[in-house]
């Protein structure tokens, strides 16, 4: 069997530098198809969120915050946001990368749909803030309703 050839530009960094505006400095995620995140520990991992913004699909170890932010893509259902590996090993990482490359090569329409869907994900505080505001208004109305009869007796 003849080995397959792929073209790849690889950037290896021990950490990403993020500005106070959430912009990656120095590491060009926006030029990548994949973003590799083989972290051994990840208490609160936001790197995939930047990848989503720029259309870079994450390949990530299922650990810490990465477990919350990257869901393994299932070609049968179209659900998921990236490619996850559970065992912390080079073989598991390689297998996840290969799954991603196979999808990109063999099912380009599915790949493109995944990229666009990820780019449309909303991780802003807009929706949660609106939900909190609605909850606070509801609680205030309930408090006023409950306290009104007491005030009327005084």
């Amino acid at each position: 069997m003849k080995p397959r050839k792929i073209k790849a530009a690889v950037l290896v960094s021990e950490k990403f530098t993020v500005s106070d505006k959430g912009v990656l400095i120095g590491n060009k995620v926006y030029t990548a198809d994949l973003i590799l995140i083989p972290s051994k520990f990840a208490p609160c991992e936001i790197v995939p969120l930047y990848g989503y913004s720029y259309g870079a699909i994450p390949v990530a170890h299922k650990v810490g915050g990465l477990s919350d932010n990257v869901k393994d893509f299932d070609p049968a259902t179209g659900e998921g946001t990236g490619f996850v590996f559970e065992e912390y090993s080079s073989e598991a990482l390689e297998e996840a990368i290969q799954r991603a490359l196979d999808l990109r090569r063999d099912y380009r329409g599915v790949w493109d749909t995944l990229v666009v869907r990820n780019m449309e994900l909303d991780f802003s505080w807009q929706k949660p803030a609106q939900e909190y505001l609605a909850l606070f208004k509801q609680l205030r109305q309930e408090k006023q309703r409950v306290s009104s009869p007491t005030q009327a007796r005084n």
Side-chain angles (χ1 to χ4, degrees), residues 108-120:
R108 191 56 186 251
V110 175
W111 176 269
D112 291 344
T113 299
L114 173 60
V115 168
V116 170
R117 190 180 69 230
N118 283 359
M119 290 176 77
E120 292 173 345

Side-chain angles (χ1 to χ4, degrees), residues 125-134:
W125 277 99
Q126 188 66 34
K127 184 179 178 188
Q130 290 172 349
E131 291 171 357
Y132 277 118
L133 184 59

Side-chain angles (χ1 to χ4, degrees), residues 11-24:
L11 167 69
V12 177
S13 175
E14 293 196 14
K15 68 179 184 175
F16 282 84
T17 304
V18 181
S19 77
D20 62 344
K21 303 224 184 305
V23 177
L24 289 170

Side-chain angles (χ1 to χ4, degrees), residues 7 17 27 31 45 55 59 62 75 78 85 88 113 116-117 128 139:
K7 290 183 180 179
T17 304
N27 299 320
T31 63
E45 191 61 68
V59 175
K62 186 174 185 174
F85 61 99
Y88 189 73
T113 299
V116 170
R117 190 180 69 230
L139 291 172

Side-chain angles (χ1 to χ4, degrees), residues 16 22 24 28-37 46-59 70 81 114-115 118-121 123:
F16 282 84
L24 289 170
K28 307 303 185 210
V29 171
Y30 56 86
T31 63
D33 289 325
L34 295 174
I35 182 166
L36 306 181
I37 317 167
I46 63 170
V47 172
L49 308 184
Y50 294 110
Y52 297 145
S53 300
Y54 293 110
I57 302 299
V59 175
V70 182
T81 57
L114 173 60
V115 168
N118 283 359
M119 290 176 77
E120 292 173 345
L121 292 172
F123 293 99

Side-chain angles (χ1 to χ4, degrees), residues 55-73:
I57 302 299
V59 175
H61 181 219
K62 186 174 185 174
V63 63
L66 290 171
S67 299
D68 298 325
N69 294 336
V70 182
K71 301 300 178 194
D72 198 41
F73 182 74

